[in-house]
Amino acid sequence: MGQTINNIISEPSFGTVLGSYKNVEAYSNSRINHNSGKNYINKHYTGYKYQCVEYSRRFLIITKQITFANIKCAYNIWDLIVFQNLITGENFDILKFENGSFIPPKEDCLLIYNKGYKIPYGHVAVITKVNLSKGYVKIAEQNEREKIWKRNYARKLYIKCSQGKFIIQDKYPIIGWVVYEN
């Protein structure tokens, strides 16, 4: 990692491993937005290095052998109705639950953020742990915080249950979570 003139640690350089969840590494993209190059895993397109969509798609390909269609922005994942099984080539339905749903999120589902002032393309993360009794979820992600993970997740978000509805709280607007059963 580089250092600034004031001896303060700067953001990791492009391609630095930030952390890993289920052996899927997340990389620093040094805040490069678009022209970071396309990435592939096992001949399957994952997205632009190292954006949030690229991590989520690569996670699904490596751990579940599934993928989703090419999309323009992260928040467009919410518009999808199917994912694809890479072994059979067949599409299968996904389930979507809005933030504030009666159904809580579960491990390995995708957390979808809406577009907003600081995130014009939205955002997507993988939920790595759900602990309803302690009121938190942990997430793995790329292109949000450019910091080395201390454990197998990037951030911990709070989840509350109000009138039976589960609401995940973050500084950015969350649409909801996508569950895939293949």
Side-chain angles (χ1 to χ4, degrees), residues 13-25:
S13 60
F14 183 83
T16 299
V17 175
L18 299 175
S20 176
Y21 172 62
K22 292 192 174 179
N23 296 317
V24 179
E25 294 177 331

Side-chain angles (χ1 to χ4, degrees), residues 59-67 84-87 182:
F59 173 82
L60 293 175
I61 291 170
I62 291 171
T63 64
K64 311 291 182 186
Q65 293 78 47
I66 62 177
T67 191
Q84 182 185 40
N85 180 311
L86 292 172
I87 296 169
N182 186 14

Side-chain angles (χ1 to χ4, degrees), residues 17-108:
V17 175
L18 299 175
S20 176
Y21 172 62
K22 292 192 174 179
N23 296 317
V24 179
E25 294 177 331
Y27 300 95
S28 170
N29 74 357
S30 301
R31 307 278 184 209
I32 295 172
N33 288 327
H34 294 291
N35 298 322
S36 53
K38 294 179 179 181
N39 199 36
Y40 294 84
I41 184 96
N42 300 328
K43 299 182 182 179
H44 298 287
Y45 176 67
T46 59
Y48 287 99
K49 295 178 181 178
Y50 289 109
Q51 302 292 321
C52 60
V53 171
E54 191 277 334
Y55 178 79
S56 298
R57 189 180 281 130
R58 186 163 37 89
F59 173 82
L60 293 175
I61 291 170
I62 291 171
T63 64
K64 311 291 182 186
Q65 293 78 47
I66 62 177
T67 191
F68 52 86
N70 289 335
I71 51 171
K72 186 172 182 174
C73 299
Y75 69 86
N76 294 131
I77 295 170
W78 190 255
D79 300 329
L80 299 175
I81 57 173
V82 296
F83 281 8
Q84 182 185 40
N85 180 311
L86 292 172
I87 296 169
T88 67
E90 295 179 9
N91 290 335
F92 61 94
D93 294 336
I94 57 174
L95 301 173
K96 298 181 276 189
F97 300 98
E98 290 184 7
N99 200 16
S101 169
F102 289 106
I103 307 296
K106 56 192 223 179
E107 184 179 305
D108 293 350

Side-chain angles (χ1 to χ4, degrees), residues 86-167:
L86 292 172
I87 296 169
T88 67
E90 295 179 9
N91 290 335
F92 61 94
D93 294 336
I94 57 174
L95 301 173
K96 298 181 276 189
F97 300 98
E98 290 184 7
N99 200 16
S101 169
F102 289 106
I103 307 296
K106 56 192 223 179
E107 184 179 305
D108 293 350
C109 70
L110 300 183
L111 185 62
I112 312 299
Y113 290 73
N114 208 348
K115 61 184 174 179
Y117 170 68
K118 294 222 176 193
I119 54 169
Y121 305 104
H123 186 63
V124 58
V126 176
I127 294 181
T128 66
K129 183 169 181 75
V130 178
N131 189 323
L132 297 176
S133 64
K134 293 188 178 178
Y136 68 81
V137 298
K138 294 178 180 178
I139 61 172
E141 64 190 343
Q142 282 180 164
N143 195 26
E144 200 292 314
R145 277 180 45 187
E146 293 290 310
K147 295 185 179 182
I148 304 295
W149 304 358
K150 293 182 180 175
R151 295 193 172 80
N152 66 341
Y153 64 94
R155 295 188 295 142
K156 180 163 83 170
L157 307 175
Y158 293 98
I159 184 170
K160 67 179 184 175
C161 185
S162 176
Q163 299 177 334
K165 295 181 179 180
F166 296 93
I167 302 165

Side-chain angles (χ1 to χ4, degrees), residues 1-12 147:
M1 293 192 321
Q3 293 186 347
T4 66
I5 199 156
N6 297 323
N7 204 26
I8 298 171
I9 305 252
S10 65
E11 289 186 355
K147 295 185 179 182

